[in-house]
Amino acid sequence: MLVVMDKKATPQQVDAVVAAIEARGYAARPIPGGQRVAIGVLRNDGPVDASLFSGLEGVRDIIPVTRPYKLVSREFKPDDTVVRVGSASVGNGRLTFIAGPCAIESEDQALTIAEAVAERGAHLFRGGAFKPRTSPYSFQGLGEEGLKILARVRQETGLPVVTEVMDCETFDLVEHYSDVIQIGTRNMQNFSLLRRAGRCSKPVLLKRGMAATIDEWLMAAEYVMEGGNTDVILCERGVRTFAHHSRNTLDLSAVPVVRKESHLPIIVDPSHAAGRRDQVIPLSRASVAVGAHGLMVEVHHAPDQALSDGAQSLYPDQFRKLHDQAQSIFDIFHPEESGSFSPRKGQAHEAATLSH
Ligand code: PEP
Ligand code: MN
């Protein structure tokens, strides 16, 4: 439930409503708006009796929230959330590109790829230091050394860095070195990790579980927001189906549904959805066409030698092509924003061809 305060409500009246909500055993979350404050009522299991609060001074309206997720929903916050990360941002009416290898393998490898993607239009660099691998015998990532390399990449290229956190034990370390904390598909419902992410000072990129419904995914985001971290970026990365022509099946319909249900920005990772390089550019174009705020893709200068996910990693020049094509599709829907966020401003239109 949302208690909407009058435009002229005083801070004392807001405090009194908060106290009344808490006295009933609920949590109150004031949400300042442009015109007026709204106070979200949380931690209620069932419907809340509106008459408890409708008569309090300064209260203008009571709006029931029908969704199981509250802080994440558009009912709570109608305006789009923009997540700012250093010089970049996600969800601000511009298309954000996150690119880099699956895993950080060495300083040379990371810097080579980072420079290549920075020059070709990436706004953030990605790379795993702690890797959740299906087999315990596969490369598990460089751990802290990988995080130090990521910090070096940021220093050299100016790109903010995104990296995955796998557990609560290493959370402080990952939080210290990274600009955006990724929670992977296998951890989407790791509730202690989500709660720790809620207390985190950095934005969280929350991937959809490979078998999660959209409601479950948004409830996972609710855990993070409920902990006090409002900077959540959702990432669709494909779900598991019977199909064998791709590693997962990219659920593009999730994008318009999430945009309708939630104010949080949503990006798409076509690399893990496809598992194959040849599908990544077409799926990227489609993702932008259905309304993604950004794309996260794996890029490697020598994919044949990559220690993980080489088969789905693009060559740097393919990333350039992806960037330019995706940007021109984005510009069709957002002509007023055209190219304004691209480091290669103005070139996107010229370079883009929509052929394969
Ligand atoms: C990744 O982005 O490196 C990754 C492991 O992705 P996912 O959690 O989507 O499999
Ligand atoms: Mn990968």
Side-chain angles (χ1 to χ4, degrees):
M1 192 172 88
L2 262 184
V3 180
V4 182
M5 300 301 290
D6 199 80
K7 257 192 267 183
K8 295 198 202 95
T10 63
Q12 290 76 16
Q13 288 171 339
V14 172
D15 289 347
V17 173
V18 167
I21 293 169
E22 288 174 350
R24 293 276 161 181
Y26 305 130
R29 185 70 64 93
I31 308 163
Q35 295 266 319
R36 50 172 56 90
V37 175
I39 305 167
V41 180
L42 302 173
R43 305 225 178 118
N44 52 305
D45 252 350
V48 178
D49 179 1
S51 68
L52 292 172
F53 312 113
S54 54
L56 298 178
E57 272 181 60
V59 172
R60 181 199 151 99
D61 207 359
I62 304 272
I63 302 176
V65 175
T66 54
R67 302 295 194 264
Y69 34 86
K70 312 285 176 198
L71 299 166
V72 160
S73 79
R74 275 217 191 264
E75 289 177 324
F76 249 58
K77 179 174 182 278
D79 300 333
D80 283 352
T81 288
V82 177
V83 175
R84 294 185 200 285
V85 194
S87 55
S89 50
V90 188
N92 60 351
R94 292 161 180 165
L95 188 59
T96 307
F97 292 89
I98 306 174
C102 179
I104 302 299
E105 299 167 6
S106 69
E107 186 165 313
D108 258 12
Q109 173 251 18
L111 280 171
T112 303
I113 299 169
E115 276 156 17
V117 298
E119 195 201 315
R120 291 165 176 80
H123 304 113
L124 295 102
F125 179 73
R126 63 145 288 147
F130 292 96
K131 293 301 305 174
R133 303 305 301 280
T134 302
S135 163
Y137 308 118
S138 302
F139 176 59
Q140 305 284 307
L142 296 180
E144 185 169 5
E145 192 196 333
L147 296 174
K148 287 183 178 159
I149 294 172
L150 281 164
R152 186 82 210 285
V153 165
R154 175 180 46 228
Q155 199 187 340
E156 293 291 314
T157 63
L159 295 182
V161 297
V162 184
T163 198
E164 178 163 354
V165 68
M166 272 175 51
D167 46 48
C168 291
E169 289 97 297
T170 51
F171 207 111
D172 288 354
L173 206 58
V174 176
E175 182 175 11
H176 173 74
Y177 286 105
S178 66
D179 298 298
V180 176
I181 307 249
Q182 178 174 322
I183 295 188
T185 196
R186 293 159 188 82
N187 264 320
M188 190 208 82
Q189 282 191 319
N190 179 337
F191 299 113
S192 35
L193 196 63
L194 294 172
R195 286 212 185 277
R196 174 63 185 82
R199 299 193 303 275
C200 168
S201 57
K202 306 274 168 73
V204 171
L205 191 154
L206 180 63
K207 289 193 141 190
R208 180 181 180 185
M210 62 181 88
T213 64
I214 290 177
D215 274 10
E216 287 164 341
W217 186 19
L218 293 178
M219 289 306 272
E222 185 82 8
Y223 266 85
V224 180
M225 288 197 73
E226 206 265 336
N229 190 349
T230 51
D231 285 338
V232 181
I233 303 159
L234 298 166
C235 179
E236 162 62 37
R237 51 78 70 204
V239 290
R240 189 160 275 190
T241 67
F242 51 83
H244 292 302
H245 58 274
S246 56
R247 185 173 169 183
N248 292 280
T249 298
L250 183 59
D251 180 10
L252 284 175
S253 64
V255 177
V257 173
V258 164
R259 286 195 59 159
K260 191 169 162 204
E261 288 295 316
S262 176
H263 52 84
L264 293 174
I266 175 165
I267 67 167
V268 172
D269 169 355
S271 303
H272 290 88
R276 302 169 40 145
R277 188 176 304 132
D278 61 341
Q279 295 175 7
V280 174
I281 295 179
L283 291 177
S284 298
R285 293 195 298 253
S287 303
V288 175
V290 294
H293 294 108
L295 293 165
M296 178 157 86
V297 290
E298 289 185 340
V299 178
H300 202 291
H301 64 297
D304 293 351
Q305 275 133 53
L307 296 181
S308 64
D309 286 350
Q312 67 199 31
S313 299
L314 298 177
Y315 288 92
D317 280 339
Q318 290 181 303
F319 172 65
R320 184 198 297 274
K321 184 172 161 184
L322 177 152
H323 171 278
D324 292 349
Q325 294 189 355
Q327 185 67 52
S328 28
I329 291 171
F330 187 82
D331 292 346
I332 294 170
F333 298 107
H334 306 82
E336 69 287 359
E337 304 283 348
S338 271
S340 53
F341 188 47
S342 169
R344 298 173 60 244
K345 199 170 168 177
Q347 292 175 28
H349 264 311
E350 288 160 41
T353 57
L354 294 181
S355 61
H356 288 256

